[in-house]
Amino acid sequence: MDNLPLEADESTQLAKQAMTRRFYTRSVVKGEITLPAVPAMIDEYVTMCGGLFAGVGRKFSDDELARLREVLEGQLAEAYATSQRSSIVITYNAPMGSTLHYQVRAQWRTVAQEYEHWISTREPPLFGTEPDAKVVALANEAADPTGYRVLDIGAGTGRNALALARRGHPVDVVEMTPKFAEMIRAEAERDSLDVRVIMRDVFSTVDDLRRDYALIVLSEVVPDFRTVEQLRSVFELAAQCLAPDGRLVFNAFLANGDYTPDQAAREFGQQMYTGMCTRREVSTAAAGLPLQIIADDSVPDYEKAHLPDGAWPHTSWYADWASGLDVFTIARDKCPIELRWLVFQKTRPRRRDERLGLHRQ
């Protein structure tokens, strides 16, 4: 059979395309997208929505995409400014025809509310059962646990605080999530442990804290910080509340090598419980205070090597999270961040003759 003339073939294709466009307008579409609120990733939201809407036959014009961007920017900014545990929800519906209607709204929880939600929706233990190996190693340096007082900030379910108290350490806990504070208090009272529980934001005051702590612990707390100023506040608190030669230990996601997190990485990291910083930022936060760094260890490597047999990882999610893989889908050895144990020691004031550069004969 002879081929159709070129003009006829083009006409057939045009007819097919026109029919397909009409076919899509006969669809009825409804949907909802929920995403973490990351303002610096605005281009990704617009690209996702634009592609999705076009895929169901409602391609947006440049003006419509510009308006979508404007709406998204406003809701993203509101959500993220309110809480790093925030999302935006994009709902859309398209009746028969060529139009599509959408709505963007912000939603959020505070950090304390998010952990309350964990308690009600996740199977315990939320953070594992074993205390951190690094914390135990530091506490083990005490010849007499009863004279080695510990402050556990953001103690969660008490994984570290209760274990140290059972070893004989007097422990003060500052915890801002009411249910966590109640859990620790109840277990301490049941077992007659020397644990004092203070329920509040640790940065609101230091008036009810002692000035002779041998160890201050922040485990899985600094990754929830939003600013370097919060880390500075921890160093200032340690400088006030540690006894001479006392230690401050915390874990933080630090950038590896020459990697410098951009704003998008920082915002998305905060949404994933993985707030990150650089070593320069840590040094700046501690500058001018009587604190000297004495240890900098990989959390995954240290905990895996020093936890009791069968205790690694603390939870099913811990190994990937501590390796930065909740933010970056990449091989572990290529990930640009990692959770690190940092230990600072409070230095003793120099004697007057040392300050003057004098030496005894």
Side-chain angles (χ1 to χ4, degrees):
M1 184 174 69
D2 292 336
N3 291 331
L4 292 172
L6 180 61
E7 293 79 3
D9 185 57
E10 290 177 349
S11 177
T12 299
Q13 291 300 319
L14 288 172
K16 176 68 172 179
Q17 293 167 5
M19 184 181 70
T20 301
R21 288 194 296 272
R22 178 57 68 191
F23 169 78
Y24 276 113
T25 67
R26 301 300 294 172
S27 64
V28 176
V29 180
K30 293 182 180 180
E32 180 176 287
I33 309 167
T34 301
L35 285 167
V38 185
M41 296 184 74
I42 179 63
D43 289 344
E44 301 303 325
Y45 296 91
V46 175
T47 298
M48 177 184 290
C49 291
L52 180 62
F53 298 164
V56 295
R58 276 73 168 183
K59 184 176 181 180
F60 273 25
S61 67
D62 289 345
D63 287 345
E64 289 171 325
L65 287 175
R67 174 56 183 160
L68 172 64
R69 173 183 288 271
E70 182 181 341
V71 172
L72 284 166
E73 284 177 335
Q75 292 300 303
L76 285 168
E78 179 183 357
Y80 184 76
T82 303
S83 172
Q84 68 267 49
R85 299 292 177 266
S86 57
S87 303
I88 60 162
V89 181
I90 306 162
T91 54
Y92 57 91
N93 69 85
M96 288 187 186
S98 59
T99 61
L100 181 144
H101 308 287
Y102 65 86
Q103 182 181 42
V104 182
R105 71 179 189 276
Q107 60 183 26
W108 54 77
R109 295 189 184 100
T110 65
V111 173
Q113 289 170 338
E114 184 67 14
Y115 286 125
E116 295 269 0
H117 180 68
W118 278 33
I119 293 170
S120 64
T121 60
R122 298 192 180 194
E123 289 292 325
L126 297 181
F127 305 105
T129 56
E130 288 290 327
D132 291 309
K134 172 61 79 173
V135 173
V136 171
L138 291 169
N140 277 343
E141 296 178 5
D144 176 14
T146 62
Y148 192 93
R149 187 173 294 275
V150 178
L151 172 63
D152 191 352
I153 297 173
T157 56
R159 181 169 55 92
N160 286 313
L162 294 169
L164 295 180
R166 289 190 176 97
R167 292 169 49 84
H169 296 276
V171 179
D172 286 352
V173 165
V174 179
E175 173 56 55
M176 66 186 296
T177 302
K179 287 188 178 179
F180 286 162
E182 292 166 10
M183 291 166 62
I184 296 170
R185 185 180 290 113
E187 189 164 346
E189 290 177 354
R190 184 194 69 196
D191 296 343
S192 300
L193 300 176
D194 187 358
V195 177
R196 178 173 67 121
V197 179
I198 304 168
M199 192 183 72
R200 62 171 175 80
D201 181 347
V202 72
F203 298 130
S204 63
T205 181
V206 296
D207 291 347
D208 52 359
L209 300 181
R210 298 175 63 98
R211 301 297 187 268
D212 61 348
Y213 296 109
L215 180 65
I216 296 178
V217 178
L218 293 92
S219 179
E220 302 173 25
V221 172
V222 174
D224 272 330
F225 287 178
R226 305 194 73 175
T227 66
V228 176
E229 286 73 25
Q230 287 176 286
L231 184 55
R232 173 69 180 185
S233 295
V234 168
F235 285 126
E236 291 174 342
L237 183 150
Q240 286 184 267
C241 296
L242 280 175
D245 296 328
R247 273 81 176 280
L248 164 69
V249 59
F250 63 88
N251 46 25
F253 282 96
L254 298 185
N256 293 327
D258 296 331
Y259 175 68
T260 300
D262 61 13
Q263 187 63 20
R266 292 177 185 272
E267 292 175 358
F268 184 50
Q270 289 177 7
Q271 289 282 12
M272 303 303 293
Y273 306 86
T274 311
M276 60 194 77
C277 54
T278 65
R279 282 181 170 78
R280 180 185 293 273
E281 287 169 333
V282 174
S283 296
T284 299
L289 297 172
L291 297 166
Q292 179 181 5
I293 190 165
I294 59 172
D296 178 349
D297 298 298
S298 162
V299 169
D301 291 348
Y302 188 96
E303 296 297 306
K304 184 176 182 180
H306 293 89
L307 281 172
D309 290 343
W312 171 260
H314 291 292
T315 64
S316 60
W317 50 262
Y318 190 90
D320 281 353
W321 171 75
S323 300
L325 303 186
D326 281 7
V327 174
F328 300 95
T329 303
I330 196 171
R332 184 162 295 173
D333 61 349
K334 303 291 185 185
C335 192
I337 63 170
E338 183 185 44
L339 194 66
R340 307 284 301 185
W341 280 121
L342 301 181
V343 183
F344 286 77
Q345 183 167 353
K346 184 175 180 179
T347 57
R348 289 179 176 271
R350 290 185 299 169
R351 298 193 307 269
R352 182 174 182 275
D353 57 350
E354 291 176 331
R355 293 198 303 270
L356 296 175
L358 303 177
H359 303 279
R360 295 182 179 179
Q361 299 297 321

